[in-house]
Amino acid sequence: MHRTIPDVLLAAADREPDGLWLRTDGCRLSFGAAAAWVAQAAARLQAEGIRYGDLVVLTARNTPQYLVALLGVTSVGAIAAPTNPAGSHAELTGLIAQVEPRAVISDAELRPRLRTDEDPAPAWRLLDIHEVAGEQPPPAGNLEPLRLATPAADDVAVLIPTSGTTGRSKLVTQTHRAYAMAAEGFPYWMGLTRDDVLMTSLPLFHINAPAYSVLGSLACGGGLVLLPRFSASGFIDAARRHGATEFNAIGAMLEMLMRQPERPDDADTPLRLCYAGPSPTQERQEEIERRFDLRIICGYALSESPYGLIWAHGSRPFGTLGTPRQHPQLGTVNHARAVDEDGRDVAVDATGELMLRNPTVTRGYWGMPDETATLVVDGWLHTGDLVTRNADGTYTFVSRKKEVIRRRGENLSPLDVEEVLDEHPAVLESAVVGVPSDLSEEDVKAFVVAVGGTALDFHEIATFAAARLSAFKVPRYWQALAALPRTPTGRVAKPQLPEGHPDGEVDLAGAHPSGAPGESSTPEDEP
């Protein structure tokens, strides 16, 4: 078993140094070469003064260089804070101000969004990704910087932004132990071996790709395909090109694949497995499996704990999240409950908040002791998700207890969007909610109250928002109201806002600019 992220990497390099691991359209690396590349990056980081416990922000594009840098940061015992490279200037600088890093690793294209000439001199150092990682791996396989790595299992390895906020983002602290246990667990849960090739297009600034695909492939000795982003039209061809046998899908990815024109060779791929969440309906899942000739295994996890729920080996509990994930060697390490508002376990077939207790539960939100105190109580993680407890030990998702909108595979805070909209001179106040999307997950809708009878130009307001927010945060639907409904205490009563798509609603799908040149978190080929 492994204790830290560099342990997982070193074990793979020692076991099969010449075995092919990383595959991209421009790069093919063995386990040994990848480890040597990470070791070189770790040495360069140390030469730049990065030490144990330092915080390092990375604008984490899905490239081999950023992957190497991310692994290098954690290998020297520093704490990586990977963030969305599509973030706006306000979002990136807001995160940096909150984290107060020793350094920021980025590239020339993104540098203007990190600071402007009007910004005061930063307290952090800007390190170019190509100087940290280099363009190519080193010719010699010197792994000493990894063998001398300093982190311990319970040290914080990564800060994961849960919604990419412009103010104080909730940064989930996750340890080396959590990532190492996820690496050991994922191949076991999915039935993966050294003959498998895991393909991911999910971002390196989330937990799924690094913990499950990157480290999971290292732990089982399988291959890894790293795609720059999800493209529905090119995804299946990429699997053929790289020999991928497994991929992870979140949100609308499967539905977007199904909406591509059918081809006679859709099933003619090496793909055999897909890990998905949330679960499709049984009818839709079986339709997807028939078209692409693969098997879907459904589960549930979150940044606060990569050990969540999953379908047990050999079971097909359609529509459910499965049962608690366990460790292949340690056995039962993960426990789940569904509790009512008083913290009591609910009865079978009743609904309650899902609680988890295991060694991968987060140590809390970085720099937020009050929020952490209510997140983890007596070792139990409050997930904020409502589930039904089933008689067979599985759980079925009901709804989110938290007010977070899930759009295009990203979490966003309505408050972030509202704060930007309220800055517009024509807007008196706004309320932002999630509404159903035909791609699953949600779309974003803004209810807007105008200043003193001002005529609202939603195209212009959307453009204003797109210049200040990531593309996925800009509302699709807009509606003007004379006033927002309120509770007796003066809070906006969002449940009282008009439902559905009434007359007067404006749909700006595809009408506003992306908000971030050169990079987009929006999947390609979205209808």
Side-chain angles (χ1 to χ4, degrees):
M1 293 183 294
H2 310 104
R3 299 173 63 249
T4 68
I5 291 171
D7 284 346
V8 178
L9 178 58
L10 272 173
D14 288 341
R15 183 174 57 243
E16 192 177 0
D18 297 326
L20 179 59
W21 178 53
L22 181 63
R23 307 124 193 260
T24 71
D25 284 337
C27 175
R28 292 171 74 85
L29 282 180
S30 68
F31 293 100
W37 201 359
V38 174
Q40 174 182 271
R44 289 179 176 177
L45 288 165
Q46 289 175 322
E48 293 286 351
I50 304 301
R51 298 289 184 263
Y52 173 88
D54 286 344
L55 277 157
V56 180
V57 170
L58 303 93
T59 55
R61 301 183 194 265
N62 271 34
T63 68
Q65 286 78 13
Y66 274 104
L67 173 58
V68 165
L70 176 61
L71 295 173
V73 169
T74 57
S75 292
V76 301
I79 301 170
T83 189
N84 189 346
S88 67
H89 170 73
E91 289 167 327
L92 293 174
T93 56
L95 176 68
I96 291 170
Q98 179 180 346
V99 170
E100 297 181 344
R102 175 63 63 87
V104 175
I105 299 176
S106 191
D107 53 67
E109 183 182 356
L110 296 175
R111 198 170 298 144
R113 269 185 272 153
L114 297 175
R115 62 185 306 267
T116 66
D117 293 338
E118 290 74 30
D119 293 333
W124 43 270
R125 297 189 60 192
L126 178 61
L127 302 179
D128 188 271
I129 182 63
H130 299 292
E131 294 178 1
V132 171
E135 296 292 346
Q136 299 292 334
N142 176 22
L143 302 184
E144 284 310 301
L146 295 183
R147 300 192 193 283
L148 299 174
T150 57
D154 290 319
D155 287 343
V156 176
V158 182
L159 302 184
I160 309 166
T162 57
S163 60
T165 62
T166 57
R168 286 185 60 77
S169 176
K170 285 185 176 178
L171 298 164
V172 177
T173 60
Q174 271 302 2
T175 64
H176 281 268
R177 185 187 304 278
Y179 278 83
M181 288 186 66
E184 294 159 346
F186 189 72
Y188 169 67
W189 306 326
M190 294 294 295
L192 300 169
T193 72
R194 63 187 301 274
D195 295 324
D196 281 298
V197 178
L198 290 65
M199 183 169 73
T200 186
S201 60
L202 301 177
L204 292 177
F205 52 85
H206 284 181
I207 194 170
N208 189 301
Y212 295 152
S213 299
V214 173
L215 295 178
S217 62
L218 289 170
C220 73
L224 172 70
V225 179
L226 181 65
L227 300 179
R229 61 179 59 82
F230 177 68
S231 168
S233 62
F235 194 78
I236 298 302
D237 287 335
R240 291 193 190 95
R241 190 163 63 250
H242 296 293
T245 63
E246 188 274 346
F247 70 96
N248 294 358
I250 62 173
M253 287 174 60
L254 289 176
E255 190 61 34
M256 291 172 69
L257 287 175
M258 288 295 285
R259 295 189 182 193
Q260 290 296 302
E262 287 197 48
R263 291 170 27 178
D265 61 349
D266 277 341
D268 184 17
T269 78
L271 289 171
R272 69 182 189 92
L273 287 171
C274 167
Y275 167 74
S279 306
T281 64
Q282 178 176 350
E283 181 181 11
R284 190 59 164 170
Q285 178 166 334
E286 291 177 335
E287 186 180 0
I288 297 168
E289 291 176 331
R290 284 193 300 270
R291 175 171 170 179
F292 297 109
D293 190 24
L294 50 77
R295 183 162 54 94
I296 299 172
I297 298 175
C298 298
Y300 164 93
L302 61 171
S303 299
E304 288 84 350
S305 174
Y307 271 58
L309 310 171
I310 200 165
W311 288 7
H313 291 156
S315 69
R316 303 274 281 171
F318 291 102
T320 78
L321 303 174
T323 55
R325 309 179 183 200
Q326 306 301 349
H327 192 274
Q329 284 85 42
L330 298 176
T332 302
V333 297
N334 188 23
H335 305 272
R337 304 165 60 199
V339 303
D340 61 22
E341 292 185 357
D342 295 321
R344 295 174 298 201
D345 291 328
V346 301
V348 171
D349 296 329
T351 296
E353 182 183 3
L354 178 64
M355 310 272 279
L356 297 170
R357 185 177 67 186
N358 61 67
T360 73
V361 166
T362 177
R363 289 172 51 174
Y365 295 127
W366 185 262
M368 294 183 173
D370 293 341
E371 290 83 349
T372 297
T374 59
L375 176 70
V376 183
V377 180
D378 296 330
W380 286 96
L381 171 68
H382 288 256
T383 66
D385 290 315
L386 299 178
V387 297
T388 299
R389 177 187 164 209
N390 304 316
D392 61 359
T394 64
Y395 294 84
T396 301
F397 180 78
V398 176
S399 66
R400 292 186 188 89
K401 191 175 180 181
K402 311 169 187 176
E403 191 189 26
V404 171
I405 299 172
R406 182 76 171 174
R407 187 188 193 198
R408 302 178 187 171
E410 298 278 0
N411 292 329
L412 68 93
S413 166
L415 179 60
D416 288 346
V417 185
E418 291 162 359
E419 288 177 346
V420 169
L421 298 184
D422 291 350
E423 292 176 2
H424 191 281
V427 175
L428 177 64
E429 60 178 346
S430 62
V432 172
V433 299
V435 295
S437 166
D438 61 357
L439 286 171
S440 81
E441 295 190 332
E442 298 170 290
D443 267 315
V444 181
K445 179 173 181 176
F447 293 90
V448 181
V449 178
V451 172
T454 303
L456 293 173
D457 182 344
F458 288 130
H459 285 271
E460 195 275 329
I461 297 173
T463 301
F464 175 89
R468 293 160 176 80
L469 294 168
S470 298
F472 71 90
K473 296 182 181 180
V474 179
R476 171 179 175 176
Y477 298 106
W478 301 77
Q479 185 173 346
L481 294 178
L484 298 178
R486 297 194 178 273
T487 67
T489 59
R491 295 188 178 185
V492 176
K494 289 188 176 181
Q496 298 177 27
L497 291 167
E499 297 182 354
H501 298 287
D503 292 339
E505 181 185 79
V506 176
D507 181 356
L508 296 186
H512 58 76
S514 67
E519 189 81 21
S520 174
S521 61
T522 305
E524 294 179 2
D525 311 307
E526 181 173 337

